[in-house]
């Protein structure tokens, strides 16, 4: 079995957290895939309505534009979520909160 993308970890709990991280990224990719397929399917149904002269061409352009924007936003969010630098600091506390807690 392959180790997780962040490494095997020093203990069992850390290894499980690393596998959960990989699972979360995979779940995000699956949601992005479903959103893309849904937008593509809706675009095809609107195109069929345009061909049957039930909808104007501007409706197809709007659907395709919103679908493309949706795909770009989801990819940006997935990239940000997968970035290693977005991990919380060790201890789970933000630095400014730790500095305030240290003051008397």
């Amino acid at each position: 079995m392959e180790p997780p993308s962040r490494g095997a970890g020093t203990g069992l709990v850390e290894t499980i957290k690393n596998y959960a991280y990989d699972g979360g990224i995979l779940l995000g990719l699956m949601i992005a895939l479903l959103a893309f397929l849904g937008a593509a399917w809706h675009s095809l149904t609107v195109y069929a309505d345009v061909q049957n002269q039930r909808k104007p061409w501007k409706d197809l352009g709007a659907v395709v534009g919103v679908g493309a924007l949706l795909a770009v936003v989801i990819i940006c969010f997935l990239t940000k979520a997968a970035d290693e630098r977005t991990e919380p600091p060790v201890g789970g506390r933000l630095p400014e909160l730790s500095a305030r807690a240290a003051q008397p």
Side-chain angles (χ1 to χ4, degrees):
M1 184 174 201
E2 291 286 323
S5 63
R6 290 193 195 173
T10 57
L12 181 62
V13 175
E14 190 175 333
T15 303
I16 290 172
K17 285 182 183 179
N18 292 344
Y19 276 118
Y21 173 83
D22 288 348
I25 297 298
L26 182 63
L27 179 65
L29 288 171
M30 296 297 265
I31 291 171
L33 174 69
L34 290 176
F36 176 76
L37 290 176
W41 181 263
H42 187 62
S43 297
L44 288 174
T45 58
V46 171
Y47 179 72
D49 288 342
V50 167
Q51 291 299 314
N52 293 329
Q53 297 178 346
R54 285 185 270 179
K55 289 189 177 184
W57 281 97
K58 67 178 181 176
D59 287 350
L60 178 63
V63 167
V64 169
V66 169
L69 182 65
L70 177 69
V72 168
V73 168
I74 288 175
I75 289 170
C76 286
F77 283 148
L78 283 174
T79 303
K80 189 170 186 124
D83 192 9
E84 292 291 331
R85 292 173 286 172
T86 59
E87 291 181 23
V90 176
R93 298 176 73 180
L94 296 174
E96 57 270 2
L97 294 178
S98 324
R100 275 193 234 149
Q103 293 176 354

